[in-house]
Amino acid sequence: MIPTITAFERSPDRGRGLAHDMRVRWALEEVGQPYNVRLVSFAAMKQPAHRALHPFGQIPTYEEGDLALFESGSIVLHIAEHHVGLLPGDAKARARAITRMFAAASTVEPPILELQTLKFAEGDKPRFEQRLPMVKDRIRAYLRDLSARLGDAEWLDGDFSAGDLMMVHVLLRLRPSGILDEFATLSAYCDRARARPAYQRAFAAQLAVATGNGG
Ligand code: GTB
């Protein structure tokens, strides 16, 4: 059965691959699962039909027969659990890869999102100036630890896994801020991941939407 995912009709990132549907596209490409994409506008996301799939009126969603999922991490995990290629066969290694998926989404991503939210609040100077250094320090602390853990390895724990996929996509959102480039090890880790053919296909597919050449 071919699953259907949802993505922005007009992504605010203009095809830079930073919206959360990119993780899902990338996971589907890694396992060789074809998929359909339904593009939704901001207005349509808040309508009851979309909220039936996603209670918070966001993208991405994932539909496969009578199964409907939301939250990019849970969708990537579902894909990884039902196909070969994104999770190790060994039970303990599998649990460690899933741990890294959670670390990406629940530990590393929140301060990165806060950094972006703060930039929108730049007009509120006192709040911006007070919080910005704290948030940047928190991000740098996680990146230092992650970089030390990665060391000379290619991926975080053995072969490329859904843990790397989630971590890299979270880190890539930092690129415009310049913070990722302060960590050569992590920057190279992200470049390795971006060079994967599956990433390239997913990136091209979402870019085609932004440039009006696909869907
Ligand atoms: N935790 C959820 C998940 O992982 O699936 C978060 C989903 C989410 O934030 N979805 C966003 C959304 O639907 C789009 S991706 N927003 C509409 C709304 O809330 O009304 C987030 C995103 C947006 C823009 C950029 N960008 O411009 O760089 C990057 C990421």
Side-chain angles (χ1 to χ4, degrees):
M1 180 168 303
I2 307 243
T4 297
I5 68 167
T6 51
F8 278 130
E9 186 179 72
R10 271 200 197 89
S11 181
D13 80 339
R14 295 193 206 90
R16 284 182 300 160
L18 300 176
H20 289 51
D21 60 290
M22 176 64 195
R23 302 168 185 187
V24 176
R25 291 175 184 270
W26 184 8
L28 288 163
E29 293 288 353
E30 286 285 350
V31 300
Q33 170 64 56
Y35 60 99
N36 296 314
V37 182
R38 191 169 62 249
L39 300 176
V40 285
S41 65
F42 273 98
M45 265 181 238
K46 307 303 171 193
Q47 296 303 312
H50 188 75
R51 281 191 190 274
L53 301 172
H54 196 311
F56 309 127
Q58 296 184 318
I59 59 100
T61 58
Y62 176 96
E63 292 155 77
E64 185 192 303
D66 60 3
L67 174 69
L69 299 175
F70 62 98
E71 279 299 327
S72 58
S74 82
I75 299 170
V76 170
L77 181 57
H78 174 79
I79 295 164
E81 280 185 325
H82 290 85
H83 297 82
V84 175
L86 280 174
L87 284 175
D90 172 73
K92 286 182 183 162
R94 203 173 174 93
R96 288 198 302 271
I98 295 170
T99 300
R100 290 192 167 82
M101 295 180 67
F102 275 87
S106 27
T107 299
V108 183
E109 186 164 40
I112 294 175
L113 294 183
E114 191 176 352
L115 179 66
Q116 294 213 318
T117 312
L118 265 182
K119 296 222 159 121
F120 285 116
E122 210 171 331
D124 179 357
K125 279 276 178 220
R127 178 168 165 256
F128 179 74
E129 276 162 16
Q130 184 196 10
R131 293 222 33 95
L132 190 65
M134 276 167 28
V135 173
K136 284 188 166 178
D137 283 352
R138 195 142 44 95
I139 294 172
R140 288 191 178 103
Y142 286 138
L143 265 53
R144 257 192 306 276
D145 292 343
L146 201 55
S147 179
R149 176 53 75 103
L150 182 64
D152 294 334
E154 198 175 11
W155 308 116
L156 286 171
D157 187 14
D159 292 338
F160 178 84
S161 77
D164 293 296
L165 186 152
M166 288 291 293
M167 193 63 82
V168 166
H169 194 253
V170 163
L171 293 177
L172 285 175
R173 192 139 178 209
L174 265 183
R175 192 154 247 165
S177 74
I179 296 178
L180 182 60
D181 293 331
E182 295 171 20
F183 296 83
T185 303
L186 294 180
S187 192
Y189 167 61
C190 289
D191 286 347
R192 271 194 297 284
R194 285 164 65 228
R196 294 177 71 82
Y199 179 94
Q200 299 282 325
R201 287 193 296 272
F203 188 88
Q206 62 79 42
L207 182 61
V209 177
T211 55
N213 294 318

